[in-house]
Short mmCIF file of all heavy atoms in Angstrom, two decimals:
data_model
loop_
_atom_site.label_atom_id
_atom_site.label_comp_id
_atom_site.label_asym_id
_atom_site.label_seq_id
_atom_site.Cartn_x
_atom_site.Cartn_y
_atom_site.Cartn_z
N ALA E 1536 5.60 4.47 16.50
CA ALA E 1536 5.32 4.05 17.89
C ALA E 1536 4.35 2.88 17.98
O ALA E 1536 4.21 2.35 19.07
CB ALA E 1536 4.67 5.27 18.61
N ALA E 1537 3.74 2.46 16.85
CA ALA E 1537 2.83 1.35 16.88
C ALA E 1537 3.43 0.03 17.25
O ALA E 1537 2.90 -0.75 18.03
CB ALA E 1537 2.10 1.25 15.56
N SER E 1538 4.61 -0.26 16.76
CA SER E 1538 5.31 -1.52 17.07
C SER E 1538 6.81 -1.38 16.65
O SER E 1538 7.14 -0.57 15.92
CB SER E 1538 4.70 -2.67 16.39
OG SER E 1538 5.02 -2.58 15.00
N ARG E 1539 7.64 -2.30 17.23
CA ARG E 1539 9.01 -2.24 16.91
C ARG E 1539 9.19 -2.55 15.35
O ARG E 1539 10.03 -1.93 14.70
CB ARG E 1539 9.74 -3.31 17.70
CG ARG E 1539 11.24 -3.23 17.69
CD ARG E 1539 11.80 -2.03 18.45
NE ARG E 1539 13.00 -1.57 17.90
CZ ARG E 1539 13.60 -0.43 18.22
NH1 ARG E 1539 13.19 0.31 19.17
NH2 ARG E 1539 14.77 -0.01 17.60
N GLY E 1540 8.32 -3.42 14.83
CA GLY E 1540 8.40 -3.79 13.48
C GLY E 1540 8.16 -2.57 12.56
O GLY E 1540 8.81 -2.36 11.59
N ASP E 1541 7.11 -1.79 12.98
CA ASP E 1541 6.81 -0.54 12.25
C ASP E 1541 8.02 0.40 12.24
O ASP E 1541 8.36 0.98 11.29
CB ASP E 1541 5.61 0.14 12.84
CG ASP E 1541 4.35 0.12 11.94
OD1 ASP E 1541 4.08 -0.99 11.47
OD2 ASP E 1541 3.77 1.21 11.70
N LEU E 1542 8.59 0.62 13.46
CA LEU E 1542 9.67 1.52 13.62
C LEU E 1542 10.84 1.10 12.70
O LEU E 1542 11.40 1.89 11.99
CB LEU E 1542 10.12 1.57 15.07
CG LEU E 1542 11.12 2.66 15.46
CD1 LEU E 1542 10.87 3.06 16.90
CD2 LEU E 1542 12.55 2.24 15.23
N GLU E 1543 11.18 -0.23 12.70
CA GLU E 1543 12.29 -0.65 11.90
C GLU E 1543 12.01 -0.52 10.43
O GLU E 1543 12.94 -0.19 9.70
CB GLU E 1543 12.57 -2.16 12.23
CG GLU E 1543 13.20 -2.43 13.61
CD GLU E 1543 14.45 -1.65 13.88
OE1 GLU E 1543 15.21 -1.32 12.97
OE2 GLU E 1543 14.67 -1.34 15.13
N ALA E 1544 10.79 -0.78 10.05
CA ALA E 1544 10.41 -0.59 8.60
C ALA E 1544 10.57 0.86 8.18
O ALA E 1544 11.17 1.21 7.07
CB ALA E 1544 9.04 -1.06 8.32
N VAL E 1545 10.09 1.78 9.01
CA VAL E 1545 10.19 3.22 8.73
C VAL E 1545 11.68 3.61 8.71
O VAL E 1545 12.10 4.33 7.76
CB VAL E 1545 9.51 4.10 9.75
CG1 VAL E 1545 9.68 5.57 9.51
CG2 VAL E 1545 7.92 3.73 9.75
N LYS E 1546 12.47 3.05 9.56
CA LYS E 1546 13.92 3.45 9.56
C LYS E 1546 14.55 2.94 8.28
O LYS E 1546 15.32 3.69 7.65
CB LYS E 1546 14.58 2.72 10.76
CG LYS E 1546 15.96 3.23 11.03
CD LYS E 1546 16.64 2.42 12.09
CE LYS E 1546 16.63 3.14 13.46
NZ LYS E 1546 17.33 2.33 14.51
N LEU E 1547 14.30 1.72 7.80
CA LEU E 1547 14.91 1.20 6.72
C LEU E 1547 14.53 2.01 5.45
O LEU E 1547 15.40 2.38 4.60
CB LEU E 1547 14.41 -0.27 6.51
CG LEU E 1547 15.01 -1.00 5.29
CD1 LEU E 1547 16.51 -1.19 5.49
CD2 LEU E 1547 14.40 -2.36 5.15
N ILE E 1548 13.27 2.34 5.41
CA ILE E 1548 12.84 3.20 4.24
C ILE E 1548 13.46 4.60 4.30
O ILE E 1548 13.97 5.14 3.27
CB ILE E 1548 11.29 3.28 4.24
CG1 ILE E 1548 10.69 1.90 3.92
CG2 ILE E 1548 10.76 4.34 3.26
CD1 ILE E 1548 9.20 1.72 4.16
N ALA E 1549 13.51 5.15 5.54
CA ALA E 1549 14.06 6.53 5.65
C ALA E 1549 15.55 6.56 5.26
O ALA E 1549 16.03 7.46 4.68
CB ALA E 1549 13.93 6.98 7.08
N ASN E 1550 16.23 5.46 5.49
CA ASN E 1550 17.68 5.37 5.21
C ASN E 1550 17.94 5.01 3.81
O ASN E 1550 19.02 5.05 3.33
CB ASN E 1550 18.34 4.41 6.14
CG ASN E 1550 18.34 4.91 7.60
OD1 ASN E 1550 18.05 6.09 7.84
ND2 ASN E 1550 18.62 4.02 8.53
N THR E 1551 16.92 4.53 3.07
CA THR E 1551 17.13 4.07 1.61
C THR E 1551 16.66 5.08 0.63
O THR E 1551 17.31 5.38 -0.36
CB THR E 1551 16.31 2.74 1.45
OG1 THR E 1551 16.64 1.81 2.48
CG2 THR E 1551 16.65 2.13 0.12
N VAL E 1552 15.46 5.62 0.90
CA VAL E 1552 14.88 6.50 -0.07
C VAL E 1552 15.48 7.97 -0.06
O VAL E 1552 15.68 8.46 1.01
CB VAL E 1552 13.33 6.64 0.19
CG1 VAL E 1552 12.68 7.79 -0.55
CG2 VAL E 1552 12.67 5.32 -0.15
N LYS E 1553 15.93 8.39 -1.21
CA LYS E 1553 16.67 9.67 -1.27
C LYS E 1553 15.89 10.79 -1.91
O LYS E 1553 16.08 11.96 -1.67
CB LYS E 1553 18.05 9.52 -1.91
CG LYS E 1553 18.94 8.54 -1.18
CD LYS E 1553 19.43 9.09 0.13
CE LYS E 1553 20.09 8.03 1.01
NZ LYS E 1553 19.67 7.96 2.38
N ASN E 1554 15.03 10.43 -2.92
CA ASN E 1554 14.42 11.48 -3.75
C ASN E 1554 13.00 11.87 -3.30
O ASN E 1554 12.41 12.68 -3.92
CB ASN E 1554 14.45 11.06 -5.23
CG ASN E 1554 15.85 10.92 -5.66
OD1 ASN E 1554 16.71 11.72 -5.39
ND2 ASN E 1554 16.11 9.81 -6.44
N SER E 1555 12.47 11.23 -2.32
CA SER E 1555 11.21 11.58 -1.78
C SER E 1555 11.46 11.84 -0.27
O SER E 1555 12.35 11.22 0.33
CB SER E 1555 10.16 10.49 -1.86
OG SER E 1555 9.94 10.13 -3.20
N SER E 1556 10.69 12.78 0.41
CA SER E 1556 10.85 12.98 1.81
C SER E 1556 10.13 11.86 2.51
O SER E 1556 9.01 11.48 2.11
CB SER E 1556 10.24 14.37 2.06
OG SER E 1556 10.35 14.69 3.34
N VAL E 1557 10.68 11.33 3.60
CA VAL E 1557 10.02 10.23 4.28
C VAL E 1557 9.49 10.71 5.65
O VAL E 1557 10.23 11.46 6.32
CB VAL E 1557 11.04 9.03 4.53
CG1 VAL E 1557 10.32 7.89 5.23
CG2 VAL E 1557 11.49 8.50 3.19
N THR E 1558 8.31 10.34 6.01
CA THR E 1558 7.71 10.80 7.24
C THR E 1558 7.08 9.59 8.00
O THR E 1558 6.91 8.58 7.49
CB THR E 1558 6.70 11.90 6.98
OG1 THR E 1558 6.40 12.57 8.25
CG2 THR E 1558 5.38 11.38 6.38
N GLY E 1559 6.75 9.86 9.28
CA GLY E 1559 6.11 8.83 10.10
C GLY E 1559 5.04 9.52 10.93
O GLY E 1559 5.18 10.70 11.32
N LEU E 1560 4.02 8.75 11.24
CA LEU E 1560 2.93 9.32 12.03
C LEU E 1560 3.24 9.28 13.53
O LEU E 1560 3.88 8.34 14.01
CB LEU E 1560 1.58 8.54 11.73
CG LEU E 1560 0.28 9.03 12.40
CD1 LEU E 1560 -0.10 10.38 11.74
CD2 LEU E 1560 -0.80 8.01 12.26
N ALA E 1561 2.69 10.22 14.28
CA ALA E 1561 2.83 10.23 15.73
C ALA E 1561 1.60 10.90 16.34
O ALA E 1561 1.11 11.90 15.82
CB ALA E 1561 4.12 10.99 16.09
N ARG E 1562 1.11 10.30 17.51
CA ARG E 1562 0.11 11.04 18.21
C ARG E 1562 0.80 12.18 18.93
O ARG E 1562 2.07 12.24 18.91
CB ARG E 1562 -0.50 10.08 19.23
CG ARG E 1562 -1.45 9.03 18.67
CD ARG E 1562 -1.77 7.98 19.59
NE ARG E 1562 -0.51 7.21 20.00
CZ ARG E 1562 -0.46 6.17 20.77
NH1 ARG E 1562 -1.59 5.63 21.21
NH2 ARG E 1562 0.69 5.63 21.03
N SER E 1563 0.03 13.13 19.48
CA SER E 1563 0.62 14.27 20.14
C SER E 1563 1.12 13.92 21.51
O SER E 1563 0.75 14.44 22.56
CB SER E 1563 -0.41 15.41 20.22
OG SER E 1563 -0.68 15.84 18.98
N HIS E 1564 2.05 12.89 21.56
CA HIS E 1564 2.68 12.45 22.81
C HIS E 1564 4.21 12.44 22.55
O HIS E 1564 4.59 12.08 21.51
CB HIS E 1564 2.33 10.97 23.10
CG HIS E 1564 0.86 10.72 23.33
ND1 HIS E 1564 0.06 11.50 24.06
CD2 HIS E 1564 0.08 9.73 22.88
CE1 HIS E 1564 -1.14 11.02 24.12
NE2 HIS E 1564 -1.14 9.96 23.33
N LYS E 1565 4.91 12.70 23.66
CA LYS E 1565 6.37 12.77 23.55
C LYS E 1565 6.91 11.43 23.07
O LYS E 1565 7.83 11.33 22.28
CB LYS E 1565 6.99 13.14 24.87
CG LYS E 1565 6.88 14.60 25.14
CD LYS E 1565 7.69 14.98 26.45
CE LYS E 1565 7.70 16.54 26.52
NZ LYS E 1565 8.26 16.94 27.76
N ASN E 1566 6.37 10.32 23.67
CA ASN E 1566 6.91 8.99 23.34
C ASN E 1566 6.76 8.64 21.84
O ASN E 1566 7.67 8.08 21.23
CB ASN E 1566 6.11 7.91 24.12
CG ASN E 1566 6.51 7.88 25.54
OD1 ASN E 1566 7.45 8.57 25.95
ND2 ASN E 1566 5.73 7.17 26.38
N ASP E 1567 5.61 9.05 21.29
CA ASP E 1567 5.45 8.81 19.82
C ASP E 1567 6.41 9.62 18.99
O ASP E 1567 7.01 9.12 18.04
CB ASP E 1567 4.00 9.22 19.38
CG ASP E 1567 2.99 8.15 19.77
OD1 ASP E 1567 3.20 7.43 20.72
OD2 ASP E 1567 1.94 8.12 19.03
N ILE E 1568 6.65 10.89 19.45
CA ILE E 1568 7.52 11.77 18.70
C ILE E 1568 8.99 11.23 18.79
O ILE E 1568 9.77 11.26 17.80
CB ILE E 1568 7.44 13.24 19.20
CG1 ILE E 1568 5.94 13.68 18.91
CG2 ILE E 1568 8.41 14.14 18.49
CD1 ILE E 1568 5.58 14.98 19.56
N ASP E 1569 9.32 10.75 19.96
CA ASP E 1569 10.65 10.13 20.19
C ASP E 1569 10.83 8.94 19.24
O ASP E 1569 11.87 8.80 18.65
CB ASP E 1569 10.86 9.75 21.67
CG ASP E 1569 10.98 10.92 22.54
OD1 ASP E 1569 11.20 12.02 22.10
OD2 ASP E 1569 10.78 10.75 23.79
N ALA E 1570 9.82 8.10 19.22
CA ALA E 1570 9.90 6.89 18.40
C ALA E 1570 10.08 7.31 16.90
O ALA E 1570 10.84 6.78 16.14
CB ALA E 1570 8.67 6.02 18.54
N ALA E 1571 9.38 8.36 16.51
CA ALA E 1571 9.42 8.83 15.14
C ALA E 1571 10.85 9.32 14.85
O ALA E 1571 11.44 9.12 13.78
CB ALA E 1571 8.39 9.91 14.87
N TRP E 1572 11.41 10.03 15.83
CA TRP E 1572 12.80 10.57 15.64
C TRP E 1572 13.77 9.40 15.51
O TRP E 1572 14.64 9.44 14.64
CB TRP E 1572 13.16 11.51 16.75
CG TRP E 1572 14.57 12.08 16.63
CD1 TRP E 1572 15.54 11.94 17.49
CD2 TRP E 1572 14.98 12.89 15.55
NE1 TRP E 1572 16.65 12.60 17.05
CE2 TRP E 1572 16.41 13.17 15.83
CE3 TRP E 1572 14.46 13.44 14.39
CZ2 TRP E 1572 17.21 13.97 14.99
CZ3 TRP E 1572 15.28 14.15 13.52
CH2 TRP E 1572 16.61 14.48 13.86
N GLU E 1573 13.63 8.45 16.33
CA GLU E 1573 14.49 7.26 16.23
C GLU E 1573 14.48 6.66 14.84
O GLU E 1573 15.49 6.28 14.28
CB GLU E 1573 14.15 6.19 17.27
CG GLU E 1573 15.22 5.19 17.43
CD GLU E 1573 14.82 4.01 18.29
OE1 GLU E 1573 14.01 4.16 19.24
OE2 GLU E 1573 15.34 2.87 18.10
#
Side-chain angles (χ1 to χ4, degrees):
S1538 71
R1539 192 73 211 172
D1541 246 52
L1542 191 150
E1543 291 303 333
V1545 175
K1546 190 187 257 179
L1547 182 65
I1548 292 167
N1550 294 343
T1551 309
V1552 167
K1553 297 292 168 227
N1554 298 317
S1555 303
S1556 181
V1557 179
T1558 194
L1560 185 69
R1562 286 166 299 186
S1563 292
H1564 298 314
K1565 283 187 173 174
N1566 288 350
D1567 278 29
I1568 298 168
D1569 290 342
W1572 180 241
E1573 190 188 334

